[in-house]
Coordinates of all heavy atoms in Angstrom, one line a residue:
Chain B
R37 N 55.3 -71.9 -181.0 CA 55.5 -72.0 -182.4 C 54.6 -73.1 -182.9 O 54.4 -74.1 -182.2 CB 57.0 -72.3 -182.7 CG 57.3 -72.5 -184.2 CD 58.8 -72.6 -184.4 NE 59.5 -73.6 -183.6 CZ 60.8 -73.8 -183.6 NH1 61.6 -73.0 -184.3 NH2 61.3 -74.8 -182.9
Q38 N 54.1 -72.9 -184.1 CA 53.2 -73.9 -184.7 C 53.5 -74.1 -186.1 O 53.4 -73.2 -187.0 CB 51.7 -73.4 -184.6 CG 50.7 -74.4 -185.1 CD 49.3 -73.9 -184.9 OE1 49.0 -72.8 -185.1 NE2 48.3 -74.8 -184.6
F39 N 54.0 -75.3 -186.4 CA 54.3 -75.6 -187.8 C 53.0 -76.1 -188.5 O 52.1 -76.6 -187.7 CB 55.4 -76.7 -187.9 CG 56.7 -76.2 -187.5 CD1 57.4 -76.6 -186.4 CD2 57.4 -75.3 -188.4 CE1 58.6 -76.1 -186.0 CE2 58.6 -74.8 -188.0 CZ 59.2 -75.2 -186.8
P40 N 52.9 -76.1 -189.8 CA 51.6 -76.4 -190.4 C 51.1 -77.8 -190.0 O 51.9 -78.8 -189.9 CB 52.0 -76.4 -191.9 CG 53.1 -75.4 -192.0 CD 53.9 -75.6 -190.7
P86 N 64.6 -70.6 -194.2 CA 63.3 -71.1 -194.6 C 62.7 -72.1 -193.6 O 61.5 -72.1 -193.4 CB 63.5 -71.8 -196.0 CG 64.6 -71.0 -196.6 CD 65.5 -70.6 -195.4
E87 N 63.5 -72.8 -192.9 CA 63.0 -73.8 -192.0 C 62.4 -73.1 -190.7 O 61.8 -73.8 -189.9 CB 64.1 -74.8 -191.6 CG 65.3 -74.3 -190.9 CD 66.4 -74.0 -192.0 OE1 66.1 -73.8 -193.2 OE2 67.6 -74.1 -191.6
D88 N 62.7 -71.8 -190.6 CA 62.1 -71.1 -189.4 C 60.7 -70.5 -189.8 O 60.1 -70.0 -188.9 CB 63.1 -69.9 -189.1 CG 64.4 -70.3 -188.6 OD1 64.5 -71.3 -187.9 OD2 65.4 -69.6 -189.0
S89 N 60.3 -70.7 -191.0 CA 59.0 -70.3 -191.4 C 58.0 -71.0 -190.5 O 57.9 -72.3 -190.5 CB 58.7 -70.5 -192.9 OG 59.7 -69.8 -193.7
S90 N 57.1 -70.3 -189.9 CA 56.2 -70.9 -188.9 C 55.2 -69.8 -188.4 O 55.3 -68.6 -188.8 CB 57.0 -71.5 -187.8 OG 56.1 -72.2 -186.9
F91 N 54.3 -70.2 -187.6 CA 53.4 -69.3 -186.9 C 53.9 -69.2 -185.5 O 54.0 -70.2 -184.8 CB 52.0 -69.9 -187.0 CG 50.9 -69.0 -186.4 CD1 50.5 -67.8 -187.0 CD2 50.3 -69.4 -185.2 CE1 49.6 -67.0 -186.4 CE2 49.3 -68.6 -184.6 CZ 49.0 -67.4 -185.2
Y92 N 54.2 -68.0 -185.1 CA 54.7 -67.7 -183.7 C 53.6 -67.0 -182.9 O 53.1 -66.0 -183.4 CB 56.0 -66.9 -183.8 CG 57.1 -67.6 -184.4 CD1 57.3 -67.6 -185.8 CD2 58.0 -68.4 -183.7 CE1 58.3 -68.3 -186.4 CE2 59.1 -69.0 -184.3 CZ 59.2 -69.0 -185.6 OH 60.3 -69.7 -186.2
T110 N 52.0 -64.3 -185.2 CA 52.8 -63.8 -186.3 C 53.1 -64.9 -187.3 O 53.7 -65.9 -186.9 CB 54.1 -63.1 -185.8 OG1 53.8 -62.0 -184.9 CG2 55.0 -62.6 -187.0
R111 N 52.7 -64.7 -188.5 CA 53.1 -65.7 -189.5 C 54.4 -65.3 -190.2 O 54.4 -64.2 -190.9 CB 51.9 -65.8 -190.6 CG 52.1 -67.1 -191.4 CD 50.8 -67.5 -192.1 NE 49.8 -67.9 -191.1 CZ 49.7 -69.1 -190.5 NH1 50.7 -70.0 -190.7 NH2 48.7 -69.3 -189.6
L112 N 55.4 -66.1 -190.1 CA 56.7 -65.7 -190.6 C 57.0 -66.6 -191.8 O 57.0 -67.9 -191.7 CB 57.8 -65.9 -189.5 CG 59.2 -65.7 -189.9 CD1 59.5 -64.3 -190.4 CD2 60.2 -66.1 -188.7
S113 N 57.3 -66.0 -192.9 CA 57.7 -66.7 -194.1 C 59.1 -66.3 -194.5 O 59.3 -65.1 -194.8 CB 56.7 -66.5 -195.2 OG 55.4 -67.0 -194.9
I114 N 60.0 -67.2 -194.6 CA 61.4 -66.9 -195.0 C 61.6 -67.4 -196.4 O 61.4 -68.6 -196.6 CB 62.4 -67.5 -194.0 CG1 62.1 -67.0 -192.6 CG2 63.8 -67.0 -194.4 CD1 62.1 -65.5 -192.4

Side-chain angles (χ1 to χ4, degrees):
Chain B
R37 179 169 57 184
Q38 184 180 38
F39 290 110
E87 59 266 28
D88 299 321
S89 298
S90 185
F91 182 71
Y92 294 85
T110 298
R111 192 159 297 281
L112 176 62
S113 296
I114 307 299

